[in-house]
Amino acid sequence: MNCELCGKPIKFYHEVMIEDSILRVCDDCVKYGKEIKKKNKSNVIGPANVSLTNNVQIQRPVVHSPKSAPRKQRLEEQDDIDLVENYGEIIRKKREEMNLSQEDFAKKLQEKKNLIAKIEREEIKPDLQTARKIEKMLGIKLLDKF
Ligand SMILES: [Zn+2]
């Protein structure tokens, strides 16, 4: 037979789609069209299986997402520390016992004097790190839970 595109005599032909018509062409003319693969029937099963496994995988992240939410809440709870009652008074009394001025005490803690004054007046709560430093420095207990 001959190539339906260039007319060259050929033993084996390729079926290609060129502008909505199927032509039997030679090796050289395959590039002018879209070759029609004869494996189409087995391929039909392939994509169907892939979409089934995809559906299973999609459900997995949904199961994981609720677990990450409580973790964030726990972190927030740690930031809100429980201090003993009258923590400001306890700090001031102990500091005066040790003959430390607010300024000296602040220097030892590497904090600002203003911060120490505010903590002693209980205007602000020290954060966990600062509270632990004060506990160590004065040998007192400020944290209720830890
Ligand atoms: Zn040809």
Side-chain angles (χ1 to χ4, degrees):
M1 68 164 288
N2 296 326
C3 171
E4 288 176 357
L5 211 61
C6 68
K8 195 168 81 176
I10 44 172
K11 284 180 186 172
F12 305 103
Y13 62 85
H14 298 270
E15 278 191 325
V16 294
M17 185 78 98
I18 299 171
E19 288 174 359
D20 288 335
S21 56
I22 294 164
L23 298 176
R24 292 171 181 183
V25 300
C26 68
D27 288 341
D28 292 334
C29 291
V30 173
K31 60 188 174 194
Y32 298 119
K34 201 177 176 184
E35 190 169 8
I36 298 159
K37 300 258 166 93
K38 289 176 181 177
K39 288 175 183 174
N40 276 349
K41 279 182 184 175
S42 59
N43 279 346
V44 175
I45 303 161
N49 280 344
V50 171
S51 63
L52 271 178
T53 48
N54 278 347
N55 283 341
V56 175
Q57 283 170 345
I58 286 162
Q59 287 174 355
R60 280 178 191 164
V62 181
V63 179
H64 280 288
S65 55
K67 282 182 184 174
S68 58
R71 273 184 205 161
K72 274 186 184 175
Q73 284 176 359
R74 271 180 215 162
L75 281 175
E76 281 163 13
E77 279 167 21
Q78 276 185 352
D79 287 337
D80 186 29
I81 56 170
D82 275 326
L83 293 167
V84 292
E85 273 182 56
N86 306 320
Y87 65 90
E89 202 187 332
I90 293 166
I91 293 168
R92 187 182 54 80
K93 274 187 180 173
K94 191 69 187 178
R95 177 179 59 75
E96 285 172 351
E97 262 180 51
M98 294 171 80
N99 288 319
L100 287 169
S101 68
Q102 277 187 349
E103 206 173 341
D104 291 335
F105 185 49
K107 270 183 191 173
K108 281 187 175 234
L109 287 172
Q110 291 176 304
E111 298 289 353
K112 284 175 183 168
K113 185 195 162 191
N114 196 30
L115 178 76
I116 302 303
K118 279 183 177 174
I119 290 171
E120 287 190 359
R121 287 197 300 267
E122 295 181 18
E123 282 174 21
I124 57 163
K125 279 183 173 184
D127 59 32
L128 183 60
Q129 213 186 348
T130 308
R132 286 221 162 114
K133 273 198 290 186
I134 294 169
E135 280 186 320
K136 244 185 175 181
M137 194 73 67
L138 298 180
I140 54 172
K141 197 173 174 292
L142 290 179
L143 298 161
D144 230 5
K145 277 183 181 173
F146 297 90

